[in-house]
Amino acid sequence: MYYVNVERGVKLAVYDLNPAGKKTVFLVHGWPLNHMMFEYQFDLLPKLGFRCISIDLRGFGNSDAPWNGYDYGRLADDLYEVIRMIGVSEMTLVGFSMGGAIVIRYMSRYKEYKISKLALLSAAAPCFVSREGCPGGLPLEQVNSLVAQISRNRPQAIYDFGQNFFAQPVTPPFAEWFRSVTLSGPGYSTLKTAETLRDADLRADLEQITVPTGIFYGVLDKICPKELPLTLNRKIRNSKLFPFEQSGHAVFYDELEKFNQEFSSFLTS
């Protein structure tokens, strides 16, 4: 692990496995997690010859947690600073859930800088909340209730949210570990990013994406229902759907072996 300064007084934790890898993949975690959610991809990708990079977004994990900067524009700026520092000519950019929304904003805001391929995993986009002209997300009342509960009882709010995360059973030790990851950031960064999830609209950003894009989603997803990836597929040129029939929001884990196989095939194609 090392740190990259993304603005004055703010540094992000960067995890860089197999720097000698011939291809680079950059993974961006979701809400309210950190880089550790990709543990079972980190075990595989370096073995396949990839340089595997991830970060803790500001406000989560080992990164700094300033009071401000939790909109998608600033979070995309943070990605740019890290990608610019890495210095490779091209890479595959991967975003899960809120991370999927952030990488979409990055692709639009920075004209796909250094990115040759994009992977969206259970992406919270183009709109996490259903609205006129952008159906398929969660009801506004449900997300407002989540935001309010975070302000009163964050552990319970995260626990309740997590009940819809996996479609397949997980062991009690795994569930305990995963909950510990979801509580890795302070309350205010968790709250502010939840508000961004609720309020952001990325429809205009989708028009700027031209690189080959894989859209990976769980058919049983209750957090980002399948209407969202179907919309992404319609709006992003040169995109392909990768459905997982027995997976929920945790598409990276519910059908782990199948996901890793299809994900790695996409990366190497």
Side-chain angles (χ1 to χ4, degrees), residues 4-14 28-35 55-79 81-82 98 102 184-186 188-193 196:
V4 172
N5 291 315
V6 293
E7 65 174 332
R8 184 175 181 180
V10 181
K11 61 184 184 299
L12 299 190
V14 179
V28 182
H29 67 82
W31 181 92
L33 297 156
N34 61 41
H35 80 284
I55 61 171
D56 291 333
L57 293 166
R58 67 166 63 203
F60 297 94
N62 292 310
S63 290
D64 286 344
W67 178 248
N68 294 314
Y70 297 100
D71 62 281
Y72 288 152
R74 178 62 252 186
L75 294 168
D77 293 344
D78 290 351
L79 290 189
E81 294 300 331
V82 176
M98 184 183 75
I102 294 167
S184 67
Y188 58 86
S189 59
T190 303
L191 177 62
K192 286 171 178 280
T193 44
T196 295

Side-chain angles (χ1 to χ4, degrees), residues 72 101 105 124 126-129 131 195-203:
Y72 288 152
R105 176 56 50 85
C127 303
F128 185 61
V129 169
R131 62 191 70 201
E195 292 171 340
T196 295
L197 273 165
R198 179 192 64 195
D199 299 337
D201 184 341
L202 297 168
R203 282 177 285 182

Side-chain angles (χ1 to χ4, degrees), residues 225-245:
K226 64 181 180 181
E227 289 79 9
L228 294 185
L230 296 179
T231 298
L232 293 174
N233 181 230
R234 288 195 301 269
K235 298 296 185 180
I236 299 176
R237 71 192 86 171
N238 201 17
S239 65
K240 180 180 178 181
L241 290 169
F242 293 83
F244 292 82
E245 299 292 335

Side-chain angles (χ1 to χ4, degrees), residues 105-201:
R105 176 56 50 85
Y106 172 87
M107 297 294 281
S108 171
R109 193 174 179 91
Y110 288 99
K111 311 300 182 187
E112 304 181 323
Y113 176 74
K114 299 288 187 179
I115 307 304
S116 59
K117 193 178 291 187
L118 180 68
L120 303 174
L121 318 181
S122 303
C127 303
F128 185 61
V129 169
S130 289
R131 62 191 70 201
E132 184 177 356
C134 193
L138 295 181
L140 176 60
E141 297 77 11
Q142 182 178 342
V143 181
N144 277 339
S145 177
L146 172 65
V147 169
Q149 191 179 19
I150 292 168
S151 299
R152 298 191 302 268
N153 188 342
R154 179 168 64 107
Q156 186 66 51
I158 299 305
Y159 176 83
D160 293 343
F161 181 79
Q163 295 300 102
N164 289 324
F165 214 88
F166 298 93
Q168 302 302 319
V170 298
T171 65
F174 183 94
E176 182 179 354
W177 168 79
F178 196 77
R179 280 195 292 273
S180 72
V181 176
T182 64
L183 294 169
S184 67
Y188 58 86
S189 59
T190 303
L191 177 62
K192 286 171 178 280
T193 44
E195 292 171 340
T196 295
L197 273 165
R198 179 192 64 195
D199 299 337
D201 184 341

